[in-house]
Amino acid sequence: SPPNSAATAVNDSTSDEAWVWAQIKAEALRDAEAEPALASYLYSTILSHSSLERSLSFHLGNKLCSSTLLSTLLYDLFLNTFSSDPSLRAAAVADLRAARVRDPACVSFSHCLLNYKGFLACQAHRVAHKLWSESRRPLALALHSRISDVFAVDIHPGARLGKGLLFDHATGIVIGETAVVGNNVSILHHVTLGGTGKASGDRHPKIGDGVLIGAGATILGNVKIGEGAKIGAGSVVLIDVPLRSTAVGNPARLVGGKEKRSKDD
Amino acid sequence: SPPNSAATAVNDSTSDEAWVWAQIKAEALRDAEAEPALASYLYSTILSHSSLERSLSFHLGNKLCSSTLLSTLLYDLFLNTFSSDPSLRAAAVADLRAARVRDPACVSFSHCLLNYKGFLACQAHRVAHKLWSESRRPLALALHSRISDVFAVDIHPGARLGKGLLFDHATGIVIGETAVVGNNVSILHHVTLGGTGKASGDRHPKIGDGVLIGAGATILGNVKIGEGAKIGAGSVVLIDVPLRSTAVGNPARLVGGKEKRSKDD
Amino acid sequence: SPPNSAATAVNDSTSDEAWVWAQIKAEALRDAEAEPALASYLYSTILSHSSLERSLSFHLGNKLCSSTLLSTLLYDLFLNTFSSDPSLRAAAVADLRAARVRDPACVSFSHCLLNYKGFLACQAHRVAHKLWSESRRPLALALHSRISDVFAVDIHPGARLGKGLLFDHATGIVIGETAVVGNNVSILHHVTLGGTGKASGDRHPKIGDGVLIGAGATILGNVKIGEGAKIGAGSVVLIDVPLRSTAVGNPARLVGGKEKRSKDD
């Protein structure tokens, strides 16, 4: 690969971010004109800000603050982190695109930015995870707790998440400390990536790229869900699931799957 | 039917609403006298108001407001909508009666009005649905988002709900955009009326009158649940369920059902 | 037993409480020094208080207050109740110890005190239950409602809970009015101890000491779950479960169990 590929990737990512942010401002302007009752809300959350990172930091700070954990502290924390780490901004943009493409109920980027608690919980988690990686654990855990209180989405700050994620509806999602989630994964509400209670250490699921996990599915233990697999709603999964196969039921069993699908590809 | 039947229905509904509101005020007065610590709370939420619609609008505005979506905006929005649409007030009264009759833990109308997040989420949804129908979609979606944040009840503003509904406990209920729920339906917590992810357009369940859906049941796709059917707790339903039958399990199968029950009727 | 055993028990409990509180203050001091951004938060929630009951009352008051149910009212209510009832303080200490011992993700007592919504919901419930027992039902129900709104944990104030409880993750837990939970029980998120809808009166599960209930399990009706039993994630339990046995599936069936386990003991 050419020596300037990293710089090119950053430039691509920056221009992608600028394009999405321009869309969001245009949507907010259109909505503020159509609905004067929302003008002040849209101005404070989107239109008054000069960048996606500022808008997102302001919105998260307001959502997650409490009388003892002040919005100013949170705003500074989010803005400093998003400003200094382009990969977090690129992940946010990929998540916004994922909602637009994969959720038929997502009508605009600004709809996702303002209203999707799965999106907001995921962005706040990425900041908590960075704090956790830097051994700033008490602050990471305080943020984790506020995300769980406010959004009912409980992602341990140790969990490692990819990008292009859609946490649809999101209420009740629980993701444990040693879980890993790949890129372009869709997770519905009430999904658990948890432990069996029998192990310590590396004890949570590893979810491959492009996996779809249906509402209320419970995946327990250090199992591998292969790339492109599908987990049915309400399944209880205690086993590895091969790539591109489907697991359903309680306990989950494989149905159809890789061999059958390979013929169709 | 006689030419004045519509007017009679409105009069009946109005006098029913007045009777329930008088009960609520009497209950709040009794409770404020028995528990002075609650007097100020009961005065601000119920006793200071001249009508059910004012009390409900004040309570919802306070519950759903944020630092950027002000309680005054929400109060005006709720009050204007409830004042101008008697069918929304009649539905609220029918829901209050449903909780009193069908939930053994509901001790009074004021208990439901003040404390049942399923009741409050449902009333706020009806306002969001009216906004949605009037193409005021950004405001409908902002309200939808606040209802999901505050009550952990996620009803898309496009969903059409009947009246006499009981959303018991209510945490984690998710109802999709094209779902339809009939009258006198009881839905427990963690119930999903969702899509399969395979379809767009009209993709969510249609729930008949008098259906009972147990805790944690997941109903997916454009399926029909017939009048008076029962869906067992934890079921995953991907099929039509005939009227007055019972479906249980994952995947759900029919048990007993119409024929058997007809003999008992 | 000797005549002063009760006094000894109180002394033991008091000194246990003092030891845990000293640990919490030391942890908070260490964290405030390591993370200046949290110093003000840790000072207001822990370091400025002279006892565990004051810290807990302040934290719960702030978490559960609303614009109509003021934090000062709640703080006084919690502090008066915890101060006058040593058994509630002993239960809180036992719950803190349970989280430290049984949850591998719990890094300190202060982590649990500040951040575990299951712990906080449980302590607030105990106060609501005391009010309920004293026939102060409107206040008990107002508190119940706030706990459900803020933590998405819905424990009816009539339910009787033991001590040494771990409500892990906790989102979506629902426990009905006539449920009884023993000591040293672990309950994961999305667990329901509910009614079948067919009975009134004593209609909810009775959970023995040391039971473990996995994520998303639904236990319905006045059934008995024996001491030390395990209920698998996602199970739907409508039957009695003997002591030290394991129930899994939908509907749940017993697997392994008492006889097999007795040999291993």
Side-chain angles (χ1 to χ4, degrees):
Chain A
S1 80
N4 62 342
S5 67
T8 306
V10 168
N11 284 343
D12 284 358
S13 169
T14 304
S15 90
D16 195 30
E17 186 185 328
W19 185 85
V20 167
W21 174 239
Q23 296 297 308
I24 289 171
K25 289 203 104 162
E27 294 164 1
L29 198 59
R30 176 200 67 199
D31 291 345
E33 282 170 5
E35 181 66 79
L38 272 186
S40 161
Y41 170 70
L42 291 166
Y43 185 80
S44 68
T45 53
I46 292 177
L47 294 168
S48 69
H49 299 285
S50 57
S51 65
L52 177 56
E53 71 212 58
R54 286 179 182 276
S55 169
L56 183 56
S57 299
F58 175 86
H59 199 46
L60 286 175
N62 270 327
K63 289 260 188 189
L64 296 175
C65 70
S66 72
S67 61
T68 51
L69 205 61
L70 303 185
S71 64
T72 47
L73 167 72
L74 293 177
Y75 174 74
D76 286 347
L77 175 66
F78 287 125
L79 187 54
N80 289 338
T81 312
F82 289 131
S83 298
S84 63
D85 190 338
S87 76
L88 296 191
R89 302 201 303 274
V93 169
D95 295 350
L96 286 165
R97 287 187 177 283
R100 281 293 275 146
V101 170
R102 303 209 295 267
D103 179 3
C106 183
V107 298
S108 66
F109 291 117
S110 61
H111 177 205
C112 180
L113 172 66
L114 292 174
N115 296 330
Y116 273 43
K117 64 190 193 184
F119 171 79
L120 294 169
C122 189
Q123 309 321 308
H125 161 78
R126 290 208 180 93
V127 172
H129 179 65
K130 195 172 168 75
L131 295 167
W132 184 261
S133 309
E134 294 166 346
S135 295
R136 298 175 68 180
R137 298 193 169 189
L139 187 54
L141 292 169
L143 194 49
H144 169 220
S145 166
R146 288 301 299 159
I147 299 167
S148 179
D149 283 2
V150 170
F151 298 125
V153 174
D154 181 341
I155 310 174
H156 192 284
R160 286 181 285 147
L161 305 188
K163 61 184 188 173
L165 303 182
L166 171 63
F167 289 173
D168 202 3
H169 304 296
T171 304
I173 288 175
V174 173
I175 300 180
E177 179 177 355
T178 61
V180 179
V181 175
N183 297 321
N184 304 314
V185 169
S186 296
I187 295 180
L188 274 282
H189 52 287
H190 301 161
V191 163
T192 296
L193 308 179
T196 60
K198 294 173 189 160
S200 56
D202 190 358
R203 63 197 184 278
H204 296 109
K206 310 296 177 274
I207 309 297
D209 292 348
V211 167
L212 169 63
I213 308 178
T218 303
I219 309 178
L220 299 180
N222 188 358
V223 297
K224 287 189 176 46
I225 309 299
E227 269 185 47
K230 291 186 168 61
I231 308 297
S235 305
V236 176
V237 180
L238 305 166
I239 54 170
D240 286 353
V241 175
L243 72 166
R244 274 182 280 169
S245 30
T246 297
V248 301
N250 175 4
R253 63 184 195 288
L254 302 180
V255 292
K258 189 182 164 189
E259 288 74 33
K260 187 165 174 295
R261 292 283 295 274
S262 298
K263 288 192 233 161
D264 305 336
D265 287 351
Chain B
S1 80
N4 62 343
S5 67
T8 307
V10 168
N11 283 343
D12 286 356
S13 168
T14 304
S15 90
D16 195 30
E17 185 185 329
W19 185 85
V20 166
W21 174 239
Q23 296 297 309
I24 288 170
K25 289 204 105 163
E27 294 165 0
L29 200 58
R30 178 199 66 198
D31 291 345
E33 283 170 3
E35 182 66 78
L38 272 185
S40 162
Y41 171 70
L42 291 166
Y43 184 80
S44 69
T45 52
I46 292 177
L47 294 168
S48 69
H49 299 285
S50 58
S51 66
L52 177 58
E53 71 213 57
R54 286 180 181 273
S55 168
L56 183 56
S57 299
F58 175 85
H59 199 46
L60 286 174
N62 270 325
K63 289 259 189 191
L64 297 175
C65 70
S66 72
S67 61
T68 51
L69 205 60
L70 302 185
S71 65
T72 47
L73 167 73
L74 293 177
Y75 175 75
D76 286 347
L77 175 65
F78 288 125
L79 187 54
N80 289 338
T81 312
F82 289 131
S83 297
S84 64
D85 189 338
S87 76
L88 296 191
R89 300 201 305 273
V93 169
D95 295 349
L96 286 165
R97 287 187 177 283
R100 282 291 277 145
V101 170
R102 303 209 295 268
D103 179 3
C106 183
V107 298
S108 67
F109 292 117
S110 59
H111 177 205
C112 180
L113 171 66
L114 292 173
N115 297 330
Y116 273 43
K117 65 190 192 184
F119 171 79
L120 294 168
C122 189
Q123 309 320 308
H125 161 78
R126 291 207 180 94
V127 172
H129 179 65
K130 197 172 167 75
L131 295 167
W132 185 261
S133 309
E134 293 166 348
S135 295
R136 297 175 68 181
R137 298 195 167 187
L139 187 53
L141 292 169
L143 194 50
H144 169 220
S145 167
R146 288 301 299 160
I147 299 167
S148 179
D149 283 2
V150 170
F151 297 126
V153 174
D154 181 341
I155 311 173
H156 192 284
R160 286 180 285 146
L161 305 187
K163 61 184 187 173
L165 303 182
L166 172 62
F167 290 172
D168 202 3
H169 306 295
T171 304
I173 288 174
V174 173
I175 300 180
E177 179 176 355
T178 61
V180 179
V181 175
N183 298 320
N184 304 314
V185 169
S186 295
I187 295 180
L188 274 283
H189 52 288
H190 301 162
V191 163
T192 296
L193 307 180
T196 60
K198 294 172 189 158
S200 57
D202 190 359
R203 64 198 183 277
H204 297 109
K206 311 294 178 274
I207 310 297
D209 292 347
V211 167
L212 169 63
I213 308 179
T218 303
I219 309 178
L220 300 180
N222 189 358
V223 297
K224 287 190 176 46
I225 311 299
E227 270 187 48
K230 291 185 168 62
I231 308 298
S235 305
V236 176
V237 180
L238 305 167
I239 53 169
D240 286 353
V241 175
L243 72 165
R244 274 182 280 169
S245 31
T246 297
V248 301
N250 174 6
R253 63 185 196 286
L254 302 180
V255 293
K258 189 183 165 188
E259 289 72 32
K260 187 167 175 292
R261 291 284 296 274
S262 299
K263 289 194 231 160
D264 305 337
D265 286 352
Chain C
S1 82
N4 62 343
S5 67
T8 305
V10 167
N11 284 342
D12 285 356
S13 169
T14 305
S15 90
D16 195 31
E17 186 185 329
W19 185 84
V20 166
W21 175 239
Q23 296 297 309
I24 289 170
K25 289 203 103 162
E27 293 164 1
L29 200 58
R30 177 200 66 199
D31 291 346
E33 283 170 3
E35 182 66 80
L38 272 186
S40 161
Y41 171 70
L42 291 166
Y43 185 80
S44 69
T45 53
I46 292 178
L47 293 168
S48 69
H49 299 285
S50 57
S51 66
L52 178 57
E53 71 213 57
R54 285 180 183 273
S55 169
L56 183 56
S57 299
F58 174 85
H59 199 47
L60 286 174
N62 270 327
K63 288 261 190 189
L64 297 174
C65 70
S66 72
S67 61
T68 51
L69 206 60
L70 302 185
S71 64
T72 48
L73 167 72
L74 293 177
Y75 175 75
D76 287 347
L77 175 65
F78 287 126
L79 185 55
N80 289 338
T81 312
F82 289 131
S83 299
S84 64
D85 189 339
S87 76
L88 295 190
R89 300 201 304 273
V93 169
D95 295 350
L96 286 165
R97 286 187 178 283
R100 280 292 275 146
V101 169
R102 303 209 295 267
D103 179 2
C106 182
V107 297
S108 67
F109 291 117
S110 60
H111 178 205
C112 180
L113 172 66
L114 292 174
N115 296 331
Y116 272 43
K117 65 189 194 186
F119 171 79
L120 294 168
C122 189
Q123 311 319 309
H125 161 78
R126 290 207 180 93
V127 172
H129 179 64
K130 196 173 168 75
L131 295 166
W132 185 261
S133 309
E134 293 166 349
S135 294
R136 298 175 68 180
R137 297 193 169 189
L139 187 53
L141 292 169
L143 194 49
H144 169 219
S145 166
R146 287 302 299 160
I147 299 167
S148 178
D149 283 2
V150 170
F151 298 125
V153 174
D154 180 341
I155 311 174
H156 192 284
R160 286 182 284 146
L161 305 187
K163 61 184 186 172
L165 304 181
L166 172 62
F167 288 173
D168 202 4
H169 305 294
T171 304
I173 288 175
V174 173
I175 300 180
E177 179 177 356
T178 62
V180 179
V181 175
N183 297 321
N184 304 314
V185 169
S186 297
I187 295 180
L188 274 281
H189 52 286
H190 301 162
V191 163
T192 297
L193 308 180
T196 60
K198 294 174 189 159
S200 56
D202 190 359
R203 63 197 183 278
H204 297 109
K206 310 295 178 274
I207 310 297
D209 292 348
V211 168
L212 169 63
I213 308 179
T218 303
I219 309 178
L220 299 180
N222 188 358
V223 297
K224 286 188 176 48
I225 310 299
E227 269 186 47
K230 291 186 168 62
I231 308 298
S235 305
V236 176
V237 180
L238 305 167
I239 53 169
D240 287 353
V241 175
L243 71 165
R244 275 182 280 169
S245 30
T246 297
V248 300
N250 174 6
R253 62 185 196 287
L254 302 180
V255 293
K258 188 183 165 188
E259 289 73 33
K260 187 165 175 295
R261 292 286 294 274
S262 299
K263 287 194 233 161
D264 304 337
D265 287 352

